[in-house]
């Protein structure tokens, strides 16, 4: 049995006060979450605050991005060593907003994935197709290309210490969730690709679904056999909704 994992991607949201009240709300009822590991990924500047608030809890934290470089003259970038300093467990790489709004290529995402693992943290590799790509019947081709970039650089064994998040771009922040079967089909495809190279790794790797998951639809998504939890945007900003998703795991 793979452990269920529910990760909140706060994106560019939050304030010192709002974060405090959100985390307090989550902590208050965290015992209602029986089967999921819970994690939050705030903006970089709040990692210090989040570490203080979460240090004696079962809730993990991580970041939404990282530089592919180690240190030096890269204005505005954040190094993996800094994320280690702040106790991050996870780092999201290749979120579709990074790919589409900031031009991150498959190769760059793979370099970031490698950088995260080199520091002993766990990359959450996001993959997923645009609406046009789905409508053209190219979902599997796109997801395979995104996955292959990591496999080519890091090899199959690297996936054992990673998490994959399948996020159809048309479902992110739109309120339009993939049906459980649509999501399951792509999750099974991803696991099948991995299994063709190493069945044991395929069996272990957690594959999360992301895209308009909320307290009402999480259960039916998470009961699908290849869906091991969720990467949650909007609904992770409300304690009650985030906990309800955790309870569905
Ligand atoms: P959403 O975002 O839950 O708001 O659709 C998911 C994500 O982008 O990770």
């Amino acid at each position: 049995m793979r452990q269920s994992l529910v990760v909140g991607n706060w994106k560019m949201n939050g304030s010192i006060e709002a974060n405090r009240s959100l985390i307090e709300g989550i902590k208050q009822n965290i015992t209602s979450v029986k089967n999921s590991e819970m994690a939050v990924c705030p903006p970089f500047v709040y990692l210090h605050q989040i570490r203080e608030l979460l240090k004696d809890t079962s809730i993990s934290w991580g970041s939404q991005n990282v530089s592919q470089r180690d240190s030096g003259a890269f204005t505005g970038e954040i190094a993996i060593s800094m994320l280690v300093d702040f106790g991050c467990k996870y780092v999201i790489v290749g979120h579709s907003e990074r790919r589409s709004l900031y031009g991150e290529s498959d190769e760059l995402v793979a370099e970031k994935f490698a950088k995260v693992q080199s520091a002993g943290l766990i990359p959450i590799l996001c993959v997923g197709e645009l609406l046009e790509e789905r409508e053209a019947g190219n979902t599997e081709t796109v997801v395979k290309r995104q996955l292959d970039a990591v496999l080519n650089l890091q090899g199959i064994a690297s996936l054992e210490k990673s998490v994959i998040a399948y996020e159809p771009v048309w479902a992110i922040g739109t309120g339009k969730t993939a049906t459980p079967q649509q999501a399951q089909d792509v999750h099974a495809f991803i696991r099948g690709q991995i299994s063709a190279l190493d069945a044991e790794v395929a069996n272990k790797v957690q594959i999360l679904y992301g895209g308009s998951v909320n307290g009402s639809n999480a259960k039916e998504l998470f009961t699908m056999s290849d869906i091991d939890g969720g990467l949650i945007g909007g609904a992770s900003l409300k304690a009650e909704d985030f906990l309800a998703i955790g309870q569905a795991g």
Side-chain angles (χ1 to χ4, degrees):
M1 260 297 272
R2 289 177 294 270
Q3 161 81 52
S4 163
L5 172 63
V6 172
V7 181
N9 172 12
W10 290 5
K11 309 192 181 185
M12 198 170 73
N13 293 293
S15 68
I16 290 176
E17 186 43 36
N19 302 345
R20 196 196 51 72
S21 111
L22 174 55
I23 295 291
E24 287 311 323
I26 297 170
K27 275 162 59 170
Q28 242 161 46
N29 270 320
I30 192 66
T31 51
S32 66
V33 175
K34 306 283 181 228
N35 299 317
S36 301
E37 178 188 346
M38 304 295 278
V40 296
C41 297
F44 291 125
V45 289
Y46 296 122
L47 282 170
H48 174 72
Q49 181 198 16
I50 297 306
R51 177 179 60 170
E52 290 304 302
L53 291 170
L54 292 182
K55 64 185 173 201
D56 296 318
T57 72
S58 59
I59 306 163
S60 314
W61 60 95
S63 81
Q64 301 171 16
N65 188 20
V66 68
S67 171
Q68 75 277 24
R69 300 199 169 91
D70 285 323
S71 66
F74 303 106
T75 301
E77 292 290 283
I78 297 288
I80 192 67
S81 58
M82 301 171 189
L83 301 180
V84 171
D85 250 1
F86 284 90
C88 288
K89 177 172 180 182
Y90 297 104
V91 180
I92 299 171
V93 296
H95 188 279
S96 71
E97 286 148 20
R98 301 294 322 167
R99 292 178 188 265
S100 67
L101 303 174
Y102 300 97
E104 294 195 7
S105 64
D106 295 335
E107 290 69 31
L108 176 61
V109 172
E111 279 182 56
K112 292 185 174 196
F113 179 102
K115 189 55 71 183
V116 174
Q117 287 197 322
S118 72
L121 306 194
I122 301 173
I124 300 176
L125 171 68
C126 299
V127 298
E129 80 288 0
L130 303 168
L131 184 59
E132 306 87 272
E133 292 168 333
R134 171 164 284 262
E135 285 173 346
N138 291 332
T139 298
E140 293 187 353
T141 314
V142 170
V143 167
K144 179 171 167 21
R145 192 198 70 220
Q146 293 169 333
L147 190 64
D148 281 350
V150 168
L151 289 171
N152 292 340
L153 188 68
Q154 287 292 86
I156 182 65
S158 70
L159 290 189
E160 192 170 336
K161 292 204 172 73
S162 77
V163 173
I164 296 171
Y166 168 58
E167 300 202 301
V169 180
W170 47 273
I172 295 178
T174 58
K176 220 196 272 174
T177 324
T179 65
Q181 193 57 54
Q182 276 175 323
Q184 165 60 25
D185 288 348
V186 182
H187 282 234
F189 171 75
I190 294 170
R191 207 178 298 285
Q193 291 294 307
I194 299 168
S195 186
L197 299 170
D198 189 322
E200 206 177 311
V201 171
N203 197 32
K204 280 191 191 156
V205 68
Q206 291 158 307
I207 308 180
L208 313 184
Y209 169 77
S212 298
V213 179
N214 58 42
S216 320
N217 60 26
K219 185 89 204 164
E220 50 174 7
L221 286 160
F222 296 176
T223 47
M224 303 309 281
S225 59
D226 287 297
I227 302 183
D228 307 314
L231 181 57
I232 318 300
S236 72
L237 298 173
K238 290 202 187 112
E240 201 183 324
D241 294 353
F242 191 53
L243 288 165
I245 297 168
Q247 289 156 14

